Amino acid sequence: MSSEEFAVRVSGLGKCYHMYAKPEDRLRQFLLPKLSRIVGMASRNYFREFWALRDVSFDVKKGECFGILGRNGAGKSTLLQLLCGTLTPTQGHIEMHGRVAALLELGAGFNPEFTGVENVYLNASVLGLSTSEIDTKFDSIVAFADIGDFMDQPVKTYSSGMFVRLAFAIAIHVEPDILIIDEALSVGDIAFQNKCLLKIRELRDKGATLLFVTHDLSTLQLICDRVAWLRGGQLVTIDLPISVCQEYYVDALGTQVAQDDASPVISQKQTGMAAFEHAAHHGFQAQDKPVYQVGHAIRLDFRVHANEALGRAAITLSIFRADGDWTIGQTSLEAGVFWSGTEAGGTLKGHINLQPNCLAPGDYLIALGANSEDLSICYALTDLGLPFSVRWNYATWGKFIHPCQWTPEY
């Protein structure tokens, strides 16, 4: 990619901080290594290194909306501060092509003792506008911020929402080539967020580039062209927003139960009455972890061995999300379906179809049970296992993708 095609280029970027166990270690670090060099002795460090960001590389094309995603402490804000020049990198280098405007932590670039009017001139001049240019845009900035008489009050009296309104109004009226936003829109109400997103769309139509950090997966999926996922200061992946956001969401849930993939034995409760001798996703081995799409069928095959004579049986199904949330708990009793009783040594076998699969994207675990027909006696019950994943090609919310009929009326 030539320099004319990209707005931002980051190569091998890293930021390291020195962490001191005691305040006096900072003084030792300042003095003792210098004295050691003077007397020709080997020096030692009195700090430990903490890499807030390490070996991060990416390009952002002009006019692209590039999202940055990660948990708290992942390095997102450090990255943005490096891009804005408020921090100096420990390693690597950055190229920025065009005028940059940034909304970082709340109140950054504002003098709390100045009024809103005074901060408009201060902040806009820092972002590169002349006084005459600010005069021309002033009324439009005030109208967009829409904070009324508070424009004449010191900004230290502002709420967080007022801060964001004024900061965003200034940043967009600078008409930057590159606009950097760090969680700012999460502070405003829905009406203000809509106004900001419409203005962002207008800037993008003019060719501006947007770097956008937020924990709001919905916004990232809807407005970004690509998303970078940071974890522990390192780049996990850069890909299309829906793909990255779904993988990030699943990773954030964690895994409640670990499964020994090498073991052919089905982990289950010991009832003495019966036991599952087979339980698997149809077409897969028990230790496999299939990935299903929303709307496709999920079929589970099972076989229960009776250690003693069993009466009529109902089969139970529980599906848990990886964070432990009990998502589905159903039985064949509700459908009026039962398995005939069997003598000792016999089997109960069958399959369960979930069609269509309505689970939202995530990672899941399953427990199967065989009970008496009134569910009062448990013949056999597996532990959580049979892991599977669900993915989709669309932005999603909630726990289920329920079949809906959408009918416009004219």
Side-chain angles (χ1 to χ4, degrees):
M1 188 186 300
S2 70
S3 60
E4 295 182 354
E5 295 177 318
F6 68 85
V8 180
R9 173 165 285 175
V10 173
S11 302
L13 192 63
K15 180 62 179 179
C16 181
Y17 292 96
H18 293 171
M19 310 295 287
Y20 296 92
K22 302 185 292 292
E24 53 266 33
D25 286 344
R26 190 181 298 273
L27 180 60
R28 290 191 182 101
Q29 182 63 37
F30 180 74
L31 295 175
L32 296 184
K34 295 178 182 178
L35 294 175
S36 297
R37 286 194 295 271
I38 291 173
V39 299
M41 295 176 59
S43 62
R44 54 162 288 195
N45 289 328
Y46 295 88
F47 61 84
R48 64 179 179 87
E49 292 185 341
F50 170 71
W51 286 88
L53 209 66
R54 194 163 200 168
D55 196 26
V56 172
S57 301
F58 59 85
D59 292 340
V60 181
K61 292 185 289 188
K62 289 182 178 178
E64 185 176 16
C65 182
F66 189 82
I68 301 170
L69 180 64
R71 299 188 194 186
N72 291 333
K76 307 183 302 299
S77 295
T78 299
L79 173 58
L80 294 195
Q81 290 179 64
L82 290 167
L83 293 176
C84 294
T86 56
L87 287 179
T88 303
T90 306
Q91 64 182 26
H93 64 275
I94 301 166
E95 296 179 50
M96 306 285 284
H97 295 269
R99 175 185 283 173
V100 179
L103 280 76
L104 301 181
E105 63 270 16
L106 211 55
F110 280 57
N111 186 323
E113 301 298 331
F114 286 10
T115 66
V117 172
E118 291 168 330
N119 271 291
V120 168
Y121 280 87
L122 171 65
N123 200 254
S125 62
V126 169
L127 293 174
L129 293 188
S130 66
T131 302
S132 61
E133 288 175 316
I134 300 172
D135 289 338
T136 302
K137 298 175 181 291
F138 181 79
D139 289 343
S140 181
I141 292 172
V142 171
F144 192 95
D146 191 22
I147 58 175
D149 294 339
F150 278 92
M151 284 297 300
D152 297 313
Q153 300 300 317
V155 299
K156 66 182 180 181
T157 66
Y158 285 14
S159 68
S160 57
M162 291 177 185
F163 258 121
V164 170
R165 284 175 176 272
L166 186 57
F168 191 89
I170 296 169
I172 60 173
H173 282 87
V174 171
E175 297 185 358
D177 300 303
I178 303 169
L179 177 61
I180 299 175
I181 302 176
D182 185 7
E183 290 288 357
L185 299 187
S186 62
V187 178
D189 56 29
I190 292 176
F192 180 70
Q193 289 177 16
N194 286 340
K195 183 159 68 169
C196 292
L197 291 172
L198 288 171
K199 194 66 178 179
I200 287 170
R201 184 180 297 174
E202 181 183 321
L203 288 173
R204 290 195 63 196
D205 290 342
K206 294 178 180 179
T209 303
L210 177 66
L211 274 73
F212 193 72
V213 167
T214 182
H215 288 100
D216 183 357
L217 300 184
S218 301
T219 304
L220 283 175
Q221 291 178 87
L222 293 174
I223 74 170
C224 292
D225 300 304
R226 289 185 301 150
V227 171
W229 174 8
L230 291 176
R231 181 170 57 200
Q234 296 184 304
L235 190 62
V236 177
T237 187
I238 299 175
D239 208 336
L240 297 176
I242 290 174
S243 173
V244 175
C245 288
Q246 288 187 13
E247 295 304 324
Y248 171 81
Y249 171 74
V250 170
D251 180 78
L253 291 178
T255 302
Q256 183 196 42
V257 179
Q259 176 162 331
D260 183 1
D261 289 345
S263 174
V265 178
I266 299 171
S267 178
Q268 57 191 298
K269 310 301 181 187
Q270 300 303 312
T271 68
M273 301 180 71
F276 280 85
E277 61 181 14
H278 175 71
H281 294 273
H282 182 71
F284 297 89
Q285 298 298 314
Q287 65 269 25
D288 291 342
K289 184 181 178 181
V291 179
Y292 297 104
Q293 289 290 309
V294 174
H296 290 186
I298 297 176
R299 173 172 160 168
L300 305 168
D301 297 336
F302 65 87
R303 186 169 62 251
V304 179
H305 175 80
N307 296 325
E308 58 184 62
L310 303 177
R312 285 215 311 169
I315 302 299
T316 66
L317 168 70
S318 293
I319 299 181
F320 285 77
R321 208 169 55 182
D323 63 347
D325 185 39
W326 195 353
T327 308
I328 290 177
Q330 293 179 216
T331 77
S332 65
L333 168 64
E334 298 144 20
V337 176
F338 302 94
W339 275 251
S340 299
T342 182
E343 298 298 322
T347 59
L348 309 175
K349 62 180 181 180
H351 61 267
I352 305 169
N353 259 351
L354 281 72
Q355 188 172 9
N357 163 38
C358 300
L359 292 168
D363 279 3
Y364 296 91
L365 297 163
I366 293 172
L368 295 176
N371 288 54
S372 60
E373 63 179 320
D374 63 357
L375 305 181
S376 62
I377 305 298
C378 178
Y379 298 152
L381 178 65
T382 73
D383 295 326
L384 284 175
L386 299 177
F388 69 98
S389 298
V390 176
R391 298 292 184 269
W392 208 22
N393 298 325
Y394 300 94
T396 57
W397 301 269
K399 299 177 182 178
F400 291 95
I401 311 297
H402 199 284
C404 295
Q405 293 182 347
W406 309 91
T407 307
E409 295 186 0
Y410 302 99

